[in-house]
Amino acid sequence: MPATLRDVARLAGVSPSTVSRALSLPDMVNVDTRARVAVAVERLSYEPNRAARGLITGRTGNVGLVVPDVANPFFASVVKGVQARARQDDVAVFVADTDEEPAVEARLFRALAKQVDGLILCSPRSSAEDLSAIAAETNVVLINRGVRGLTGIIFDDEDAMRQAMAHLAALGHRRIAWVSGPEASWSSQHRTAGLRAAATARGVELIEVGSFAPTYEGGVAAADQAVATEATAVVAYNDLIAIGLLSRLHARGISVPDDLSVLGVDDVEMSRMAIPALSTIRMPQQRAGQIAVETLLGLITMPEAMPPLRRSNALTGELIVRNSTGPAPSPKG
Amino acid sequence: MPATLRDVARLAGVSPSTVSRALSLPDMVNVDTRARVAVAVERLSYEPNRAARGLITGRTGNVGLVVPDVANPFFASVVKGVQARARQDDVAVFVADTDEEPAVEARLFRALAKQVDGLILCSPRSSAEDLSAIAAETNVVLINRGVRGLTGIIFDDEDAMRQAMAHLAALGHRRIAWVSGPEASWSSQHRTAGLRAAATARGVELIEVGSFAPTYEGGVAAADQAVATEATAVVAYNDLIAIGLLSRLHARGISVPDDLSVLGVDDVEMSRMAIPALSTIRMPQQRAGQIAVETLLGLITMPEAMPPLRRSNALTGELIVRNSTGPAPSPKG
DNA sequence: CCTCAGTCTGCAATCCGTTGCAACTCACTG
DNA sequence: CAGTGAGTTGCAACGGATTGCAGACTGAGG
């Protein structure tokens, strides 16, 4: 039903090859011919069939995006960023959700790999080997994950923690609790390291509290332990945990920020909706998605010209001060 | 690089057509032949090239999903549902985000239509004409939107409002405020109608408060007007608005639910994280996504056998009582 | 007038599966 | 022993676009 290349050719009175060239290599064809073709294309509202083109060029014009959970606001933002940037270049994006099950991932990666020119992976859990294996099959850009030899977009977790510490120290906090995320998580490791370094640098006492699920429930669970440290401020691995903390603290009648300051990381949508509105370090998630697309597109067109992961161009966060952090309470007595 | 049908044929010592049939019409080929093919397929880890297949069958094995905003938790859940169900049938899904700009939609729809067997559209804003136009080009299933002649998955908004009213009436509320969503929104219209009917049925006084953006900010903006109605309970068009209400009420020192009850609709992730945890009517978003896929797949394979929208199989909501609703305060004096 | 380079265009092969049709085998019937 | 039919398999065309190669045409130069 939709017009084909031949239809256009017939209408324009030229051969199919000419039409093809008029569209993809415009300056290989005569100006008038090109104009005639353009008219025909317009009249038939012709659009090349991507499958047919892909068959011969080997390019699909699609990319895949895999995230652990689209309902997690952090990843939702990444999706949005990828989305928006991809549209600019007319590439469509397959989105897949692994439901946080690493087992699903491998199968999923394979299935997707066939249908795309490249993959953007947010895969905090998968092993470096698995990731490398996929990268052998198709172009891959990682987000928030560093794997030797692979290209990745990362956030500057160390710097974020430095900012966190600077903010809290300035408020007079000298004893700070850290609620870490999953041990296997790349960024949790980096945040922990960054925070330790920053604490040492400022002579602040850092008490690390277990390792918790990066969720609201994780935060609820962590709250009592955080309180027990007798710290005057707590920084959470991410906003979801921080919001869980807020909830439990409220239930226990502990006032934030008067009794205890809470600082999150990420700045997901809902952070500003929390009560009190959550202070946090904003990580540019949409921008990460956008850059991931650009990098991937580069990787696709110029295979070997792309630099692997470089720490130096990690995306830096930005301190967002809202109402969950305040001056350290003066020591009683 | 990856193995083709011919490679398999050669290895199995049969013709390509036989391999093709062995895979797609297994009982048309002899058992031993089939076995030989299976071995070859296995050894080469062959996977049919979808583009090539699509070229001749006219099917791509892909579906498209368009939502106004993936970062909105309501739509994120829908995406998740679609996602999960689609994977079961090995169909990949293109996800596109219109950024709430109806202008983008038309272009986007067209672009996607070429590459998929069908489209699932969450498009509260687009006009019925635009939607019908797309439906003429490809298979379409609407979510949360009824358009004459098109297939759609809808929520039973009237019933949801009946449940809302039953809950609040049981708590003794006799004067209730309704914060509606965008006027153009299909579901806002239905919820308004449903609530009116339920209020009348129970002899409850319903005060309608303007029309607000279906966002946190919308809720913040609506709060003072809701308070001014002197209602003892307010039901919000959706949870996001309800959470905005909560925030502003907290700021004004109005206690929820002691002074005022707040009830949302949807039950998005973050509702249980609100303080106080939000009572709401849960709308089965993931299930809607899942059913949308099933319906679409049906539409694709059996073009004319699908019934259009039927009010009777709308998805019903479920009352989730948390802490934002309580007994009506006894009249002072 | 012929040659040669330079432009532009067309032919035909190709990408990889699918499928209508024909052919062939084999067993069985009449 | 010819004939019928079911069960298998192969041939070849096809879908829609791209591209190497060759041919046509133009104009300049000899």
Side-chain angles (χ1 to χ4, degrees), chain B residues 128 131 142-154 186-187 190 309 311:
Chain B
L131 294 174
L142 265 25
I143 289 188
N144 201 8
R145 175 78 187 260
V147 170
R148 196 178 194 73
L150 299 191
T151 310
I153 310 300
I154 56 179
W186 197 80
S187 58
H190 282 256
L309 185 68
R311 191 102 220 132

Side-chain angles (χ1 to χ4, degrees), chain B residues 15 17-18 21 29-30 33 52 55-56:
Chain B
S15 81
S17 13
T18 302
R21 279 188 277 254
V29 338
N30 188 297
T33 322
L55 197 51
I56 191 151

Side-chain angles (χ1 to χ4, degrees), chain B residues 47-113:
Chain B
E47 297 236 16
N49 177 321
R50 288 212 184 200
R53 170 182 292 170
L55 197 51
I56 191 151
T57 61
R59 294 261 180 80
T60 62
N62 302 328
V63 303
L65 168 62
V66 181
V67 297
D69 177 12
V70 269
N72 178 319
F74 179 87
F75 299 116
S77 286
V78 173
V79 174
K80 229 177 142 63
V82 166
Q83 205 48 241
R85 184 61 185 75
R87 180 153 58 242
Q88 281 177 33
D89 279 37
D90 242 325
V91 332
V93 359
F94 283 117
V95 176
D97 177 305
T98 60
D99 246 329
E100 304 270 10
E101 291 176 34
V104 190
E105 296 194 4
R107 259 188 6 88
L108 195 58
F109 289 166
R110 289 257 135 51
L112 267 179

Side-chain angles (χ1 to χ4, degrees), chain A residues 197-279:
Chain A
T200 312
R202 295 191 176 263
V204 164
E205 200 174 348
L206 184 71
I207 302 95
E208 301 183 15
V209 173
S211 152
F212 290 88
T215 61
Y216 172 78
E217 283 71 20
V220 171
D224 299 319
Q225 295 179 40
V227 170
T229 63
E230 296 193 325
T232 59
V234 32
V235 1
Y237 165 65
N238 70 7
D239 286 357
L240 253 25
I241 290 184
I243 291 172
L245 290 173
L246 251 30
S247 182
R248 176 70 181 160
L249 293 175
H250 175 82
R252 285 190 51 184
I254 297 169
S255 163
V256 174
D258 297 339
D259 301 333
L260 184 60
S261 284
V262 172
L263 182 64
V265 184
D266 283 350
D267 193 29
V268 297
E269 284 286 325
M270 74 178 76
S271 297
R272 66 179 205 287
M273 311 181 191
I275 298 179
L278 188 68
S279 293

